[in-house]
Amino acid sequence: MEMLSRVALVLVIVGALNWLLVGLFSWDLVAALLGGDATRESSMLSKIIYSLIGVSGLILIPTLFRDRAPVENK
């Protein structure tokens, strides 16, 4: 299960960084890589929300490299 959690965390971080790019530059990295319209028009409120999600992804990056403490069984 730990591997599945790490893969999910990586995907969440990549998604958050993509939203950061959308929020700051109106540019969608995933669309640019996989085909599609890479530019988006967004309202200022949307850009703020996307940027906050992106910053949250940046904050989570160190979580990938932390050692997990073993769970104690009672």
Side-chain angles (χ1 to χ4, degrees):
M1 186 68 160
E2 182 175 330
M3 180 58 99
L4 180 61
S5 295
R6 287 193 181 260
V7 169
L9 182 58
V10 167
L11 291 173
V12 168
I13 291 169
V14 168
L17 295 177
N18 188 60
W19 282 120
L20 181 62
L21 291 172
V22 170
L24 295 179
F25 306 112
S26 298
W27 189 68
D28 187 340
L29 175 65
V30 174
L33 292 175
L34 301 177
D37 187 15
T39 59
R40 297 176 175 251
E41 289 299 320
S42 301
S43 69
M44 184 55 74
L45 183 58
S46 295
K47 288 182 179 190
I48 291 169
I49 298 298
Y50 295 152
S51 297
L52 289 173
I53 293 168
V55 169
S56 298
L58 290 173
I59 292 169
L60 286 176
I61 289 173
T63 306
L64 285 172
F65 304 104
R66 280 193 206 139
D67 289 334
R68 303 224 179 216
V71 177
E72 293 182 25
N73 294 327
K74 291 184 178 182

